[in-house]
Amino acid sequence: MANNGFGVSDDYLSQFQKHSMEGYITSYTLEIDFFNEVDVIGVINIVFDVIGYGVEGFDGGIDISYQVMYFKDPLNKKDFLDDNEAFIYIFSNYGNDIMTVVDLAYNALDDFYMNGTPLSEFAKHFK
């Protein structure tokens, strides 16, 4: 793993409509790519569901979920880990760094919905 790393996709926080539920506003996805010295070896999407900001009867909140798109087996580079194995591997090896990115994104979204701070402020952490 010494030569592996990860980076946030250039799309940063991409907005999309996921589903409709009471108090739901919108969703954002953040893609993290894992790479070695040659190519991308895995991708995880972090989804932020924005709920309740400015909706009467709701406090503002953001639900976070994770989707492993794929991750190559570090021992057998021709195979892929199943989702559960990949999730365990990713968070065992990159968990603190991922949580730093998640905290930055969460705070950027909260500031955007509470104070109107532009989401472009989030991207400045990675440029």
Side-chain angles (χ1 to χ4, degrees):
M1 191 178 94
N3 295 325
N4 292 348
F6 80 94
V8 175
S9 167
D10 288 341
D11 293 337
Y12 302 109
L13 289 166
S14 300
Q15 187 175 9
F16 71 99
Q17 289 299 118
K18 182 176 172 181
H19 52 71
S20 181
M21 64 182 183
E22 195 171 359
Y24 173 80
I25 297 173
T26 193
S27 295
Y28 294 84
T29 187
L30 177 66
E31 180 179 296
I32 295 181
D33 301 321
F34 299 89
F35 51 86
N36 60 24
E37 55 279 338
V38 178
D39 47 26
V40 175
I41 59 171
V43 174
I44 186 171
N45 285 335
I46 304 168
V47 178
F48 301 86
D49 293 325
V50 179
I51 301 167
Y53 288 91
V55 177
E56 188 174 328
F58 287 90
D59 293 330
I62 301 169
D63 290 338
I64 302 169
S65 59
Y66 302 86
Q67 299 171 326
V68 175
M69 304 311 288
Y70 68 91
F71 203 91
K72 289 186 180 178
D73 187 330
L75 300 176
N76 181 357
K77 308 264 189 268
K78 295 179 183 178
D79 291 332
F80 291 90
L81 298 175
D82 69 33
D83 287 353
N84 291 331
E85 292 171 326
F87 191 84
I88 291 168
Y89 182 85
I90 290 167
F91 280 91
S92 294
N93 290 285
Y94 302 98
N96 289 334
D97 294 326
I98 291 172
M99 290 313 300
T100 297
V101 172
V102 168
D103 288 344
L104 289 169
Y106 182 98
N107 291 337
L109 287 167
D110 187 60
D111 286 346
F112 175 71
Y113 283 95
M114 292 295 287
N115 306 318
T117 306
L119 285 177
S120 58
E121 294 298 310
F122 172 73
K124 290 180 182 178
H125 293 284
F126 305 100
K127 292 184 178 188

